[in-house]
Amino acid sequence: MYFTYLDTAYGNESVKATGLKEIEIKIGNYHYFLTMDDKINLPRWMALVLEHSKILKINDADKITILKQSLLKEKISEKFDLTSLPKYFYLEIWQELYRESKSNRDKLIPLLHKLIRIRLGKIIHLSSSIYLDSEIYKKLTIEESMFA
């Protein structure tokens, strides 16, 4: 399954979800009662498992719109200006793409690749030309920080 590689901090973040079935959930120290259309906060790892089993639906922001907006911001920003992305941006986008139909996914993956190419180009240029200060590190995702 696609959620097996989750970073511990990211996987333990709380997410909002809506129940699709009535169920009692007991996993370790977690104990929840979920009813149809009930709103609940769960750790992301648990919500992903339950969503995959069609027990609930995660109420996330529209990541596809965020991807398109991020690409536009990166394109119009200066050559040496790196826009800020959330720490787990690529992981969130990839999970959203996993939920999309194959035809939609095939249209969206090139947008993600374009964003990655632009950002990596900027990161490489910044790292080879000037000292990377702490402000630039704050704008990097987990994956990008490995390159800086």
Side-chain angles (χ1 to χ4, degrees):
M1 288 185 158
Y2 66 98
F3 47 80
T4 57
Y5 57 86
L6 289 178
D7 176 270
T8 305
Y10 177 71
N12 285 326
E13 283 180 355
S14 182
V15 295
K16 293 180 182 181
T18 304
L20 301 175
K21 295 181 180 179
E22 192 167 306
I23 191 168
E24 181 179 357
I25 304 163
K26 291 181 183 179
I27 301 175
N29 295 333
Y30 300 105
H31 190 190
Y32 300 98
F33 293 100
L34 184 65
T35 59
M36 185 104 163
D37 296 325
D38 192 15
K39 306 285 187 219
I40 190 169
N41 287 327
L42 296 167
R44 185 176 299 278
W45 67 268
M46 186 184 299
L48 286 168
V49 171
L50 295 172
E51 183 180 58
H52 185 73
S53 300
K54 305 208 184 319
I55 293 172
L56 56 76
K57 172 84 174 108
I58 297 174
N59 303 330
D60 265 344
D62 182 10
K63 303 294 185 203
I64 303 308
T65 301
I66 293 170
L67 170 61
K68 291 175 181 178
Q69 289 171 345
S70 298
L71 178 59
L72 182 61
K73 285 179 189 176
E74 209 62 60
K75 280 181 176 179
I76 63 174
S77 68
E78 296 292 324
K79 187 176 182 180
F80 299 106
D81 186 21
L82 200 58
T83 61
S84 294
L85 288 180
K87 188 175 183 179
Y88 298 105
F89 178 79
Y90 296 115
L91 183 55
E92 292 172 356
I93 294 297
W94 195 252
Q95 286 177 352
E96 188 67 24
L97 289 175
Y98 180 84
R99 293 181 186 135
E100 291 287 324
S101 67
K102 180 166 176 22
S103 61
N104 281 349
R105 191 171 38 242
D106 290 345
K107 294 174 189 171
L108 295 168
I109 286 177
L111 296 177
L112 179 59
H113 289 170
K114 186 165 189 148
L115 177 64
I116 291 169
R117 276 193 309 272
I118 292 170
R119 288 186 63 87
L120 284 179
K122 288 181 178 184
I123 291 167
I124 290 168
H125 191 74
L126 285 168
S127 65
S128 65
S129 64
I130 62 170
Y131 176 74
L132 289 175
D133 63 13
S134 62
E135 287 303 311
I136 293 174
Y137 277 107
K138 290 179 186 175
K139 296 178 180 182
L140 301 177
T141 66
I142 284 281
E143 300 87 354
E144 293 170 343
S145 63
M146 296 184 328
F147 297 112

